[in-house]
Amino acid sequence: MLDQVPDRVQLRSTPAALVLMGGGARAAYQVGVLKAIAALLREARRGLDPSIARGHNPFPIVVGTSAGAINATALAARADDFQESVAQLVNVWENIHAEHVYRSDLLAVVRTGARWLTLLSLGWLIRRSLRLRPRSLLDNAPLATLIERMCDRQRLQRALERGHLRALAVTASGYGSGRHVTFYQSLDDYRFTARQQRVYVHARIGVEHLLASSAIPFVFPAVPLAVGDAVEHYGDGSMRQINPISPALHMGAQRVLVIGAGQIGQPGVLSQVDPCAYPTLAQIAGHAMSTIFLDALASDIERLEKMNQIAAALSAEQRQALGLRPVEALVIAPSQRLDGIAARFLTCLPRPVRALLDALGAGSGNGAALASYLMFEAPFTRVLVDLGFADTICRSDEVLAFLTERSEPRPAQPPRVVVV
């Protein structure tokens, strides 16, 4: 399909935002989508001035949550060269191993996971357990090194100063206050409407913000962050995230491309799972993870569609009075169940991690959903990259219509409208 892209196109000038959802190792799918977008743009730009063909950033606003926050920051840090930024992400995700994200050796797993499971099962018998208080199932200390390598903070600031990037935003959830906080880096200090339990903080995004945003509950430890004069421990930004698209709209996006990390409204059950059997702890944990990472996006899309229906029945004056404005949205999500794919790669996990998951009842594919969030192993992530690439190429007409406009007039499209 790449050879069908027309030569005479130009990139659209209205501000576009990229929203990358969370999902642990599932975030490799996002990179496949971006890889396809980069390929489509290379073809589409053949008719443009070569001096801008490589460096122009199609997404001046980038918003990320959890593992999507790491991808978003890596992309934003190289906003002066979109092709380079995507190539770097592809290289990382196609060659990743669990040891790059969390300690997967036997001693480390015993110190964290085994101790945690022991406390759950026998803590009531052991007075000393009151002093153990393990913090997480796994130790993600190696992730800080990976983030440092992927995200150049100085280059990110230069991208903002030179106009390649308008804003970067990442989200986290406070365990003490219950607030959902969006940390954003921009030259502009945006004024956000006060929302209950939703806070926006102007900050210089650092490793600590990304570790907090990607701290999957129970799996990775919470991270202390200072907000104003208070220090609070934060965890995964997907928790209590009601409107994942909202930050992009508040920062001026008129078009939004959202990349999910799972099928929207996953139907049916996996063939490896007996639906009549009582669920294992791993199955329950995987279901909870899917609720945290996937349901907010589905709800936000439904809300968008409802607002579209309402707006279609209103006049321009009525839309203005109600604070509605048109926002074009394109959502790309996996065409296949990622837990089904993960079930084929369980043996790729390090043996101590696999044993830990088996203790939770993840054997024989029963815990494939939970494993899919922790499977930072190249055989699995490469399949997700390929899936994201294929899914996007299949929708190349939609993607190109979202990113570019042809020299000839574009057929009128009904506006997509949301409340800001």
Side-chain angles (χ1 to χ4, degrees):
M1 298 186 72
L2 292 181
D3 57 359
Q4 298 175 10
V5 176
D7 287 342
R8 299 189 62 189
V9 297
Q10 59 183 4
L11 298 175
R12 297 172 65 182
S13 58
T14 53
L18 177 66
V19 179
L20 301 179
M21 304 301 295
R26 291 170 172 236
Y29 176 84
Q30 301 169 354
V31 178
V33 175
L34 293 170
K35 180 180 178 181
I37 290 174
L40 290 170
L41 285 179
R42 282 197 302 271
E43 294 297 317
R45 287 172 178 168
R46 286 184 298 178
L48 297 180
D49 184 342
S51 65
I52 66 169
R54 183 170 178 82
H56 185 76
N57 177 24
F59 304 108
I61 300 168
V62 188
V63 178
T65 301
S66 191
I70 298 174
N71 284 343
T73 304
L75 199 69
R78 287 170 168 75
D80 58 324
D81 194 329
F82 179 73
Q83 297 289 334
E84 179 194 346
S85 64
V86 172
Q88 185 219 33
L89 281 172
V90 171
N91 181 62
V92 168
W93 282 96
E94 287 191 342
N95 297 282
I96 200 166
H97 295 287
E99 63 189 22
H100 297 149
V101 179
Y102 53 82
R103 291 193 58 188
S104 56
D105 57 280
L106 179 60
L107 180 59
V109 171
V110 169
R111 283 178 175 174
T112 54
R115 179 184 295 181
W116 192 72
L117 293 177
T118 300
L119 182 62
L120 283 178
S121 59
L122 300 174
W124 62 281
L125 287 175
I126 310 172
R127 282 183 64 88
R128 181 171 169 270
S129 66
L130 297 176
R131 298 191 299 271
L132 290 177
R133 305 183 72 176
R135 296 187 173 188
S136 61
L137 199 62
L138 296 169
D139 177 4
N140 66 339
L143 181 57
T145 302
L146 180 62
I147 292 173
E148 287 278 11
R149 180 161 60 90
M150 294 175 63
C151 307
D152 188 331
R153 297 181 65 184
Q154 285 71 33
R155 188 167 175 177
L156 171 59
Q157 184 61 26
R158 288 198 301 270
L160 290 166
E161 294 170 352
R162 296 175 182 177
H164 299 294
L165 182 71
R166 176 181 293 191
L168 165 68
V170 302
T171 61
S173 183
Y175 282 113
S177 64
R179 297 181 303 178
H180 182 265
V181 181
T182 298
F183 299 93
Y184 72 95
Q185 185 169 345
S186 172
L187 299 183
D188 298 321
D189 190 359
Y190 294 98
R191 296 188 179 276
F192 297 97
T193 304
R195 305 280 185 180
Q196 187 176 11
Q197 295 298 94
R198 290 162 58 191
V199 180
Y200 288 83
V201 177
H202 197 186
R204 190 155 183 170
I205 305 300
V207 174
E208 66 277 12
H209 297 95
L210 301 180
L211 286 174
S213 182
S214 59
I216 301 174
F218 300 110
V219 177
F220 296 144
V223 178
L225 295 175
V227 176
D229 296 329
V231 176
E232 183 178 355
H233 281 82
Y234 286 83
D236 201 293
S238 297
M239 295 186 292
R240 310 198 73 171
Q241 186 177 44
I242 302 173
N243 305 110
I245 303 175
S246 181
L249 305 183
H250 281 299
M251 291 184 287
Q254 296 180 28
R255 294 176 290 128
V256 181
L257 173 62
V258 185
I259 308 178
Q263 285 183 310
I264 299 174
Q266 293 182 348
V269 296
L270 294 177
S271 59
Q272 300 94 332
V273 177
D274 180 1
C276 297
Y278 193 84
T280 66
L281 183 58
Q283 282 178 269
I284 296 172
H287 184 73
M289 293 287 186
S290 296
T291 300
I292 292 172
F293 288 113
L294 305 180
D295 288 357
L297 176 59
S299 298
D300 220 13
I301 293 170
E302 290 178 2
R303 191 178 298 109
L304 174 65
E305 292 173 348
K306 289 179 181 178
M307 294 311 304
N308 289 340
Q309 295 171 3
I310 294 172
L314 300 177
S315 65
E317 292 76 13
Q318 289 172 323
R319 289 197 296 268
Q320 184 176 5
L322 292 174
L324 300 176
R325 64 178 175 84
V327 174
E328 181 183 352
L330 176 63
V331 180
I332 300 179
S335 59
Q336 301 177 31
R337 290 191 58 159
L338 302 191
D339 49 350
I341 296 174
R344 309 199 310 260
F345 292 95
L346 290 174
T347 56
C348 293
L349 283 166
R351 185 173 297 177
V353 177
R354 200 161 67 243
L356 180 61
L357 291 178
D358 284 343
L360 295 172
S364 303
N366 288 337
L370 175 60
S372 69
Y373 295 100
L374 304 178
M375 199 172 292
F376 295 92
E377 292 292 339
F380 174 64
T381 57
R382 287 175 183 172
V383 171
L384 298 197
V385 170
D386 290 343
L387 178 63
F389 185 91
D391 285 350
T392 307
I393 294 301
C394 285
R395 300 176 61 184
S396 58
D397 289 344
E398 293 178 77
V399 174
L400 286 171
F402 180 89
L403 294 173
T404 68
E405 54 189 4
R406 305 185 186 191
S407 300
E408 61 269 19
R410 179 192 302 273
Q413 298 290 333
R416 307 204 63 168
V417 183
V418 297
V419 175
V420 178

